[in-house]
Amino acid sequence: MQTGLADHHRILASVQAWRGAPMALATVIETWKSAPCPAGTHMLVHEDGRFTGSVSGGCVEGDVLEIARQVIAENCFVIRRYGVADGAAWEVGLPCGGDIVVLVQNVAPTLFPGGLFGSIIDARAAGTALRIGTDLQNGMSRIVDTDEGDFFINSYLPPRRLIVVGAVEIAASLIEIAIGLNIEVTLVDPRARFLTKERFPKAELDDRWPDDAISARKPDMRTAIVTLSHDPKIDDPALIAALASDAGYIAALGSKAAHAKRTERLMASVMNADRLTRIEGPAGVAINAISAPEIALSIAAGMVRAFNHGLR
């Protein structure tokens, strides 16, 4: 059994847009060394040649498109290895030093039933994970709850989420970056004049006090919580609620001195000093950021680092 885990947001959007059309689904089912895409990554191909996603850094997509045309025409599946030890791999341009194995299936009842896409979408909407196993002997995919057999199992996880506390200028840039990463964003701020759709048109807005807003959203390991307001009355309750949750990334904007004072304030409420180490303060990766967009970029990098820990 081999397993995969990747983001599938764009693939699912194309599935809905192309509903009813003949399609092929390419999946990375094995990687070695410097492969650019993790196992589980999809590339969806429309019968007319349009495609969404990628199975490499652009090296082998042309060959995969030809295979996709074949599997749609013949209602079959193909497994193909690309690597530097394979002369054919050089022909399609895979000089990166790694190997990948790609499975290409027709989207059809006997191979990858189209209804599985609906199951993935429903599971994501419900905030639950779904596992789909593909029998590598006959190319058939189905929902599985066991690891037994010669399966490639792809795990489809709920969307990643970001809760931003503080409707400030940095939040606008951070929201843009997060949305570009297919992360669902909620902006929390009880100050009505700050929290307006005109200033933040792309995020879901929540005007509750942050501890109530965070608790209601039940953060999990695929949730990041970042406080930006610089107002202890807003940020501190948010951090206390975040620390009581399973959030995968918690960060607070501010200097090292400001974070030290924040830690002193929180000690009385959190009780356990070890829990406070979950807060990344100052927030983000050190890149000598100065402007609001640069600070947002550093915070986004810290969030992605936390989300991907151990996965790549």
Side-chain angles (χ1 to χ4, degrees), residues 84-311:
V84 295
D86 178 6
W90 287 101
E91 296 174 11
V92 296
L94 188 68
C96 58
D99 281 33
I100 61 173
V101 178
V102 178
L103 164 70
V104 187
Q105 302 162 279
N106 189 27
V107 177
T110 56
L111 292 163
F112 194 97
L116 290 180
F117 290 122
S119 297
I120 297 168
I121 292 170
D122 290 344
R124 285 169 61 89
T128 59
L130 184 72
R131 286 155 44 96
I132 293 180
T134 300
D135 188 328
L136 299 181
Q137 299 301 312
N138 58 26
M140 295 180 62
S141 298
R142 59 182 175 84
I143 297 172
V144 296
D145 56 9
T146 178
D147 293 341
E148 297 179 1
D150 186 17
F151 283 99
F152 170 76
I153 296 179
N154 212 352
S155 296
Y156 299 85
L157 300 179
R160 295 179 297 178
R161 297 183 292 163
L162 167 63
I163 301 173
V164 181
V165 177
V168 298
E169 195 63 22
I170 295 170
S173 296
L174 181 56
I175 288 167
E176 290 286 349
I177 296 171
I179 289 173
L181 294 169
N182 300 321
I183 296 172
E184 296 182 354
V185 185
T186 301
L187 178 60
V188 179
D189 199 315
R191 300 170 297 184
R193 288 189 300 171
F194 285 68
L195 191 73
T196 67
K197 206 63 180 177
E198 183 179 10
R199 295 185 68 213
F200 303 99
K202 296 183 180 180
E204 181 180 350
L205 306 183
D206 192 327
D207 62 1
R208 288 177 288 183
W209 278 94
D211 49 348
D212 292 334
I214 289 171
S215 298
R217 293 178 184 279
K218 297 180 172 56
D220 57 19
M221 287 299 296
R222 289 174 66 80
T223 306
I225 301 171
V226 178
T227 63
L228 303 177
S229 81
H230 272 308
D231 185 340
K233 297 191 302 296
I234 296 174
D235 287 350
D236 287 6
L239 292 170
I240 292 170
L243 290 170
S245 76
D246 294 326
Y249 180 67
I250 303 171
L253 185 68
S255 66
K256 290 182 179 179
H259 187 62
K261 293 180 180 178
R262 178 189 297 121
T263 299
E264 291 179 5
R265 292 195 307 270
L266 294 177
M267 280 289 292
S269 299
V270 175
M271 304 297 288
N272 187 340
D274 290 341
R275 293 172 62 189
L276 293 176
T277 62
R278 293 177 61 197
I279 303 173
E280 184 170 82
V285 174
I287 59 172
N288 296 327
I290 299 174
S291 66
E294 290 174 351
I295 295 170
L297 177 62
S298 73
I299 295 172
M303 172 178 62
V304 171
R305 178 186 59 195
F307 279 151
N308 289 345
H309 179 67
L311 299 183

Side-chain angles (χ1 to χ4, degrees), residues 42-56:
H42 286 314
M43 173 177 164
L44 185 70
V45 183
H46 191 285
E47 182 185 36
D48 64 12
R50 288 177 288 168
F51 68 95
T52 300
S54 177
V55 292
S56 76

